[in-house]
Each structure stands twice: as structure tokens, then as C-alpha cells.
């Protein structure tokens, strides 16, 4: 798995991501339209785009988990 640095890029579509935010790991949803991070349900604003230190899509995390 490769973490993405927010200084270089963001997801190209609305998607759930595992992020490092305020020194903790959590699930947030990238909102392309507003270029911000919403809660894990994609409903409520959580923070501006540059407040997340790094991210990886949940799809990528799930594809790397072995049963």
C-alpha cells in the first residue's frame, strides 16, 4: 500500500479514505466538489483539504487485506 501525500494530489472522485488527521487514523470521505474532507458517511464537513496529512482509498486498503 502506498500512502498519498496531500501536498502532491487528492482523489479524483468522491471516495472513502483512510487518512491521518490530527495524528490519528480515521475514515473520511473526500468531497471533490468542495475540495474538503467529510465524515465517513460523506454527509458532514470535517476539515479543509490541507488538514489531512496523508490518505489512501479504502478500496486500495481492502484489496491488500488477505483473508
Amino acid at each position: 500500500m502506498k500512502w498519498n501525500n496531500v501536498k502532491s494530489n487528492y482523489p479524483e472522485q468522491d471516495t472513502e479514505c483512510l487518512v491521518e488527521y490530527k495524528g490519528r487514523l480515521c475514515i473520511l470521505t473526500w468531497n471533490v466538489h468542495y475540495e474538503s474532507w467529510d465524515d465517513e458517511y460523506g454527509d458532514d464537513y470535517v476539515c479543509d483539504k490541507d488538514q489531512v496529512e496523508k490518505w489512501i482509498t479504502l478500496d486500495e486498503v481492502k484489496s491488500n487485506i488477505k483473508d
Side-chain angles (χ1 to χ4, degrees):
M1 291 186 306
K2 182 179 179 259
W3 286 92
N4 296 284
N5 184 321
V6 295
K7 293 179 181 162
S8 60
N9 64 353
Y10 294 91
E12 295 179 6
Q13 61 189 21
D14 292 356
T15 188
E16 290 178 303
C17 297
L18 180 64
V19 304
E20 185 177 332
Y21 172 60
K22 294 186 175 182
R24 302 177 105 181
L25 293 177
C26 61
I27 296 172
L28 295 179
T29 302
W30 174 246
N31 183 317
V32 173
H33 179 75
Y34 292 105
E35 292 191 352
S36 64
W37 294 97
D38 293 339
D39 65 11
E40 63 188 286
Y41 306 107
D43 291 335
D44 298 315
Y45 167 86
V46 172
C47 64
D48 292 338
K49 68 180 183 178
D50 58 352
Q51 290 181 284
V52 163
E53 292 139 30
K54 56 188 175 181
W55 61 271
I56 187 168
T57 65
L58 278 186
D59 288 340
E60 188 173 347
V61 172
K62 289 176 185 176
S63 71
N64 284 290
I65 295 174
K66 296 180 181 177
D67 293 330

